[in-house]
Amino acid sequence: MKKTLIGLILLLSISGYAQNFNASQYSKTQVIESGINMTTYNTNGLGLNSDFAVGAGVHFFASVFEVVDGVFWLGLAFDSFNSQSLTDEIKYSTSYLGISFKHHWPAASALQINFNFGIQTLIAGNLSSATVLKSLVDNKDFRGLLLTPGIGLDYTVSKTRSSWITIGYNFSYGFNPLNRSDISTLYLTHNIGVTLRY
């Protein structure tokens, strides 16, 4: 919990820094994005049951700077990916912090295709059941970097000269290519959120 709180404070600090940095010639438009992650785990190895129910978590992204004018950003991302086993009532809760690349491509007057790619590391996580509460931070099955490529659609609901607000849907596929343990976990995530660009 402490690491999660530190991560969120860091995200808010980066967002404030980005606002100040916005005045420079390197950054014209900033992005703040928040939403809900609906995640299903897919776990394989050692004969484990891979049937998991959808779990809800949070998503937050704050751009640090604009890489390409109005279409491509680099920023800090926080995500929680949670799920629960259907058979033995084991619950997983994980929190990740890292960087994310965002690209918005206009598809129609109010629609945009949203491409993103995240590189994150686990900062907090637990496995819990009726009798067990176990930290996942030092678990070898969750070590390494989580890669989260994603694609989605954004719909513009409000636009002015200086800012615009979109609501959107994004699907991402999280995997850890550095995992060398006997168990691998994939995160299949549907995200619904709101994005502010200013």
Side-chain angles (χ1 to χ4, degrees):
M1 182 64 183
K2 185 177 179 181
K3 288 184 179 181
T4 302
L5 184 59
I6 291 171
L8 288 174
I9 291 171
L10 183 60
L11 273 173
L12 294 174
S13 300
I14 290 291
S15 178
Y17 169 77
Q19 286 181 323
N20 294 331
F21 194 68
N22 190 37
S24 77
Q25 62 179 341
Y26 300 106
S27 182
K28 299 175 184 176
T29 305
Q30 294 303 322
V31 176
I32 295 177
E33 185 178 275
S34 64
I36 299 173
N37 289 331
M38 303 300 291
T39 303
T40 302
Y41 283 23
N42 186 332
T43 301
N44 294 297
L46 299 179
L48 290 178
N49 187 338
S50 62
D51 292 331
F52 286 85
V54 173
V58 298
H59 164 75
F60 187 82
F61 169 83
S63 62
V64 177
F65 61 87
E66 184 180 38
V67 180
V68 178
D69 190 16
V71 296
F72 188 61
W73 294 268
L74 171 66
L76 203 59
F78 172 86
D79 283 286
S80 58
F81 303 114
N82 306 320
S83 193
Q84 177 176 334
S85 170
L86 291 173
T87 56
D88 48 14
E89 297 183 358
I90 294 176
K91 296 180 181 179
Y92 287 89
S93 61
T94 60
S95 297
Y96 285 84
L97 183 67
I99 60 172
S100 186
F101 304 89
K102 298 282 181 181
H103 174 60
H104 294 260
W105 183 76
S109 60
L111 278 179
Q112 295 181 335
I113 299 176
N114 174 5
F115 300 96
N116 55 80
F117 184 82
I119 303 171
Q120 298 175 304
T121 187
L122 183 72
I123 59 169
N126 289 309
L127 179 153
S128 61
S129 68
T131 58
V132 176
L133 177 62
K134 181 180 178 182
S135 173
L136 299 174
V137 174
D138 295 321
N139 189 310
K140 66 179 182 178
D141 302 331
F142 289 85
R143 286 181 191 158
L145 297 176
L146 184 72
L147 305 184
T148 55
I151 187 171
L153 279 177
D154 289 332
Y155 178 77
T156 302
V157 294
S158 175
K159 186 172 183 179
T160 67
R161 287 186 177 183
S162 59
S163 66
W164 62 96
I165 299 172
T166 62
I167 57 172
Y169 163 81
N170 185 77
F171 173 77
S172 68
Y173 176 87
F175 64 99
N176 183 350
L178 302 178
N179 183 358
R180 296 294 181 263
S181 71
D182 296 325
I183 299 173
S184 63
T185 300
L186 305 176
Y187 301 144
L188 308 177
T189 301
H190 302 272
N191 173 273
I192 298 173
V194 177
T195 301
L196 167 66
R197 282 190 273 172
Y198 59 98

